[in-house]
Amino acid sequence: MATIKIPEQKVILCGEYGVGKSSLFRRFTNNTFVTATDRQSTLGLDHFDKTYNVGDKSLKLQLWDTGGMERIASITSSYYKFAEAAIIVFSLDNSASFHSLSQHLLDVVTYAESAKIFLCGNKSDLEGEKPQVTDADIETFCEQCHNLISGVYKTSCKLADGIEEMFTDIACHLAESNRSRLELQTMKHHGFKVLPADEQTAEGSCLC
Amino acid sequence: MDEEYDAIVLGTGLKECILSGMLSVSGKKVLHVDRNKYYGGESASICPLDELFSKFGAPPPDESYGRGRDWNVDLIPKFLMANGQLVKLLIHTGVTRYLEFKSVEGSYVYKGGKISKVPVDQKEALASDLMGMFEKRRFRNFLVYVQDYAEQDPRSWKEFDAQNQTMQELYEKFGLDKNTQDFTGHALALYRDDDYLQTAAITTIRRIKLYSDSLARYGKSPYLYPMYGLGELPQGFARLSAIYGGTYMLDKPIDEIVLGEGGRVVGVRSGNEVAKCKQVYCDPSYVPEKVHKKGRVVRCICLLDHPIPNTRDALSTQIIIPQKQLCRNSDIYISVVSFTHQVAAKGWFVAMVSTAVETDEPEMEIRPALDLLGPIKQKFVSVSDYFVPTDNGLESQIFISESFDATTHFETTCLDVLDIFKRGTGEEFDFSKIKHELGEEEQ
């Protein structure tokens, strides 16, 4: 049976522990929110595919969560490999998480050279009257990064605010950059995934 | 760190990471610690290139080596058998989705000073330059026999009892000469010495089948190699462990493994913190008093700016020099990978020569292998001890892995891991446990 395979775009979540990466991930996967950190419920789940329609094209965003590795140790460099986009998350009510953005940015440009980078200020519901991180702060940061940042979003996982908009916009960005890239690039530089024997024959060996 | 765990794993080498992943998946509370600030220990791939040079005390590389970041050089060279244990583990644990692979392009064997393609099917057997005309036919008959051999079907055994008769007897049944026996045992069945000749033929038949089944899977050779180097493998399993609740700590020196009543492990101390646990899993470097040296392995990393001569410009290849060819007791292995696997800058190749040390001059031992490589731009030689645990860990509940041996594939690695898991948990690893759960989210 001939089916057209929609290319997957690996999108990774980065940022300090506790800024809401897993909450974003949970909103993305099943649109729920939990207040207590109930790690148990996400055990074993670390990436999720979702299809977005951009114009007349379909695009599959594959969102990856860190699995909590950054809590004490560092994230493995392989987490970044093959990423098409990285969402660096900070918390709008926590200026420390904002100040560590540059470190995460450095990690992304080091380990995922070709990834498009997006900035996400989460917990907009906690912003309050006197925000810990102001719009001016964010603007200054983006300027300092010499246009490395492809987009900036504010979200609230608690209120489900701005999240769908963010992912849809990221899908548009990736569709745009893919158009030129896919036409130029041949697939011969890529490897293949190892699959169980039965799937292998059904799908062919190249899944890139 | 001051918590209680079911198991503490020390070291993030491949074996420890697989174990950590298997334990977490089985519902155990795992703390995984490494004294280094990077993942992988001995199984890490070194990046950037400068770090490799400084590790061996060489002056920094000049600009001809391209961008340092494009290099990921393994310290222990190995390939995956496409149908082997590690690939099974990768598939069943779902770790394969973190990785991409490429098929190794060629597999060669050394005979009389030159290299030839390893013949594995009837057609190649008849075309091979390794044997004379009559020997080719005998070898072909042997291959057909092995391919048709079915353990459940006595008719396929052709009056040969592979469970009880030796491999030597099987060779004699087909009238294969010493030379053919040599490359069959070492390049197809991948034995390191000739002890197998006196053991039941069935083991060798299975190994040859593994080789040809692996070859059938992706074509050119039975071997696979991951993009960005072998260092990706431990990281993949570490991630598996983390998403199943495992806690990771890097850059954490371990000062003591704390023993309680009856010499049983009760915890691990770092500075004045103690993490309690029921079991410890670790590599030999964390328990020098509980391992003994069984031998030495010499490994030589060679950086080349050209493919290996006589391999049809293969971008990746394996060459085996059977022991007898050089009057040795153990084979010499050469594995070559290149820029096509994102482990070297454009146009560059990394060749690794390894073998068990037999004399006081390990560098002289690998000389014939180095001669096959053509001009070498840079060479790093290391000799490491091969450690094995002094006991099976059942009493102390400290389970220690063996050092990595000189073989060029992961079959012995996986057997060690599965054996440790069985000793530690009292049961075989249940692959079905994870596959089910991961299946749900993958639609």
Side-chain angles (χ1 to χ4, degrees):
Chain A
M1 194 178 75
T3 50
I4 297 167
K5 196 152 169 58
I6 306 169
E8 286 151 6
Q9 304 287 313
K10 179 173 173 179
V11 181
I12 54 174
L13 289 165
C14 306
E16 291 294 285
Y17 185 70
V19 295
K21 294 187 296 300
S22 294
S23 295
L24 279 170
F25 184 70
R26 191 174 285 115
R27 278 287 178 202
F28 182 81
T29 51
N30 53 19
N31 200 17
T32 57
F33 179 74
V34 286
T35 31
T37 331
D38 182 14
R39 295 245 305 135
Q40 216 59 32
S41 64
T42 54
L43 286 193
L45 186 66
D46 69 337
H47 74 305
F48 190 84
D49 290 354
K50 208 160 149 185
T51 306
Y52 284 81
N53 292 316
V54 179
D56 55 343
K57 289 234 174 65
S58 291
L59 188 109
K60 204 186 258 178
L61 287 195
Q62 183 176 72
L63 189 68
W64 286 67
D65 196 7
T66 60
M69 271 184 146
E70 77 285 12
R71 188 153 54 119
I72 309 174
S74 52
I75 297 175
T76 58
S77 60
S78 62
Y79 178 67
Y80 299 90
K81 301 275 161 65
F82 311 108
E84 305 288 346
I87 307 175
I88 307 181
V89 189
F90 65 97
S91 170
L92 287 162
D93 74 331
N94 177 349
S95 54
S97 74
F98 179 75
H99 294 307
S100 60
L101 284 181
S102 49
Q103 182 54 46
H104 292 287
L105 189 71
L106 189 66
D107 286 345
V108 173
V109 292
T110 314
Y111 297 120
E113 280 176 273
S114 53
K116 282 190 166 295
I117 301 168
F118 302 89
L119 215 55
C120 172
N122 191 31
K123 307 195 190 178
S124 61
D125 51 291
L126 296 176
E127 222 175 352
E129 290 288 294
K130 286 191 79 185
Q132 290 269 317
V133 182
T134 63
D135 290 352
D137 292 336
I138 301 173
E139 215 169 287
T140 320
F141 179 79
C142 290
E143 274 170 26
Q144 285 165 350
C145 298
H146 305 290
N147 305 324
L148 268 175
I149 312 285
S150 302
V152 182
Y153 312 94
K154 279 191 184 181
T155 58
S156 164
C157 288
K158 194 174 178 182
L159 308 173
D161 208 15
I163 294 164
E164 248 342 272
E165 292 85 339
M166 173 173 78
F167 287 116
T168 311
D169 192 51
I170 289 174
C172 289
H173 273 278
L174 291 179
E176 185 55 41
S177 64
N178 270 356
R179 208 180 319 249
S180 42
R181 196 172 50 101
L182 289 177
E183 279 164 14
L184 288 170
Q185 199 184 46
T186 56
M187 286 301 181
K188 71 173 183 189
H189 288 298
H190 287 260
F192 53 78
K193 294 267 189 241
V194 166
L195 297 166
D198 45 337
E199 287 174 46
Q200 202 85 47
T201 41
E203 294 194 36
S205 63
C206 192
L207 267 189
C208 21
Chain B
M1 187 166 177
D2 297 307
E3 267 185 79
E4 185 160 357
Y5 299 89
D6 291 321
I8 298 181
V9 183
L10 304 177
T12 52
L14 178 60
K15 289 184 184 180
E16 281 65 39
C17 284
I18 300 178
L19 281 165
S20 173
M22 286 166 45
L23 290 166
S24 291
V25 163
S26 312
K28 299 267 194 290
K29 190 176 173 192
V30 175
L31 173 66
H32 199 161
V33 188
D34 197 307
R35 64 166 85 89
N36 298 315
K37 49 178 189 283
Y38 54 88
Y39 289 91
E42 286 273 278
S43 347
S45 304
I46 303 296
C47 171
L49 190 63
D50 309 44
E51 210 166 302
L52 180 74
F53 277 64
S54 70
K55 191 179 164 66
F56 286 94
D62 61 44
E63 66 279 3
S64 70
Y65 290 91
R67 228 168 48 129
R69 290 217 61 83
D70 291 340
W71 294 77
N72 292 284
V73 182
D74 305 327
L75 296 176
I76 296 174
K78 279 181 192 298
F79 290 140
L80 291 84
M81 297 288 286
N83 232 12
Q85 295 278 350
L86 185 55
V87 168
K88 280 197 189 117
L89 266 171
L90 284 166
I91 289 172
H92 285 287
T93 54
V95 169
T96 173
R97 63 214 159 120
Y98 307 141
L99 306 159
E100 280 189 15
F101 290 91
K102 272 194 172 176
S103 196
V104 172
E105 290 179 21
S107 172
Y108 291 82
V109 61
Y110 175 98
K111 188 203 162 195
K114 60 187 192 73
I115 58 172
S116 306
K117 204 166 177 307
V118 175
V120 68
D121 59 22
Q122 307 174 33
K123 213 174 109 199
E124 284 186 345
L126 293 174
S128 175
D129 58 355
L130 281 165
M131 299 159 280
M133 203 171 69
F134 297 108
E135 183 67 6
K136 276 181 190 174
R137 305 194 79 107
R138 290 191 285 268
F139 180 62
R140 192 194 71 118
N141 293 339
F142 169 79
L143 279 180
V144 172
Y145 175 80
V146 171
Q147 265 155 21
D148 292 346
Y149 187 94
E151 291 185 34
Q152 310 304 333
D153 179 11
R155 272 174 307 173
S156 72
W157 302 355
K158 308 261 166 67
E159 280 145 45
F160 182 84
D161 181 5
Q163 302 283 355
N164 293 306
Q165 288 180 272
T166 65
M167 195 58 208
Q168 187 65 56
E169 287 173 86
L170 186 61
Y171 281 145
E172 277 157 18
K173 180 180 159 81
F174 285 91
L176 299 184
D177 66 25
K178 285 278 175 233
N179 164 50
T180 312
Q181 294 180 16
D182 211 30
F183 77 72
T184 306
H186 293 264
L188 286 180
L190 302 170
Y191 283 108
R192 283 171 283 173
D193 51 44
D194 273 351
D195 294 348
Y196 77 98
L197 288 172
Q198 301 312 323
T199 60
I202 186 69
T203 330
T204 308
I205 292 176
R206 284 189 195 133
R207 279 176 170 236
I208 298 173
K209 274 178 178 292
L210 170 64
Y211 189 99
S212 52
D213 291 349
S214 294
L215 185 79
R217 217 144 156 207
Y218 298 105
K220 304 169 200 162
S221 86
Y223 304 109
L224 299 177
Y225 185 82
M227 304 287 279
Y228 296 102
L230 297 175
E232 298 296 296
L233 295 168
Q235 293 188 40
F237 284 99
R239 184 169 167 76
L240 175 77
S241 181
I243 61 168
Y244 275 91
T247 304
Y248 273 80
M249 280 185 193
L250 297 181
D251 204 7
K252 191 94 183 161
I254 298 301
D255 298 310
E256 186 190 353
I257 294 178
V258 187
L259 301 179
E261 235 172 274
R264 250 180 120 89
V265 68
V266 292
V268 167
R269 183 173 68 82
S270 172
N272 37 28
E273 294 174 291
V274 174
K276 292 191 193 124
C277 67
K278 302 187 187 87
Q279 297 185 312
V280 162
Y281 295 81
C282 63
D283 72 49
S285 69
Y286 287 86
V287 280
E289 72 290 351
K290 289 181 81 68
V291 293
H292 68 264
K293 190 170 134 184
K294 204 180 162 191
R296 293 195 301 161
V297 180
V298 56
R299 299 187 173 97
C300 180
I301 302 170
C302 305
L303 308 183
L304 317 170
D305 55 4
H306 56 81
I308 308 295
N310 310 314
T311 59
R312 292 175 206 164
D313 292 345
L315 297 175
S316 57
T317 188
Q318 176 177 78
I319 304 167
I320 294 179
I321 309 181
Q323 45 166 19
K324 286 227 182 68
Q325 292 293 327
L326 301 173
C327 303
R328 291 170 50 81
N329 298 315
S330 39
D331 300 348
I332 299 180
Y333 301 104
I334 305 172
S335 49
V336 184
V337 287
S338 65
F339 57 95
T340 187
H341 309 96
Q342 319 273 20
V343 296
K346 183 105 187 120
W348 285 86
F349 293 72
V350 182
M352 185 78 109
V353 178
S354 62
T355 189
V357 175
E358 296 178 1
T359 68
D360 293 335
E361 288 181 278
E363 261 199 89
M364 286 304 291
E365 293 183 44
I366 55 171
R367 190 77 250 166
L370 296 179
D371 290 343
L372 294 174
L373 302 181
I376 298 167
K377 278 278 173 167
Q378 182 74 42
K379 190 174 75 174
F380 303 111
V381 183
S382 68
V383 177
S384 45
D385 293 330
Y386 179 77
F387 290 109
V388 292
T390 49
D391 64 276
N392 62 13
L394 290 176
E395 248 163 63
S396 60
Q397 291 293 301
I398 302 173
F399 301 95
I400 306 156
S401 61
E402 295 182 9
S403 309
F404 288 97
D405 57 32
T407 55
T408 54
H409 53 78
F410 285 107
E411 297 309 292
T412 51
T413 306
C414 290
L415 292 178
D416 191 26
V417 166
L418 292 171
D419 186 52
I420 292 172
F421 184 83
K422 197 177 164 191
R423 270 184 276 145
T425 61
E427 54 195 69
E428 306 269 351
F429 181 61
D430 183 4
F431 285 112
S432 63
K433 232 172 216 160
I434 15 167
K435 220 195 163 188
H436 177 67
E437 286 167 52
L438 289 171
E440 282 170 13
E441 63 121 338
E442 286 187 337
Q443 295 111 39

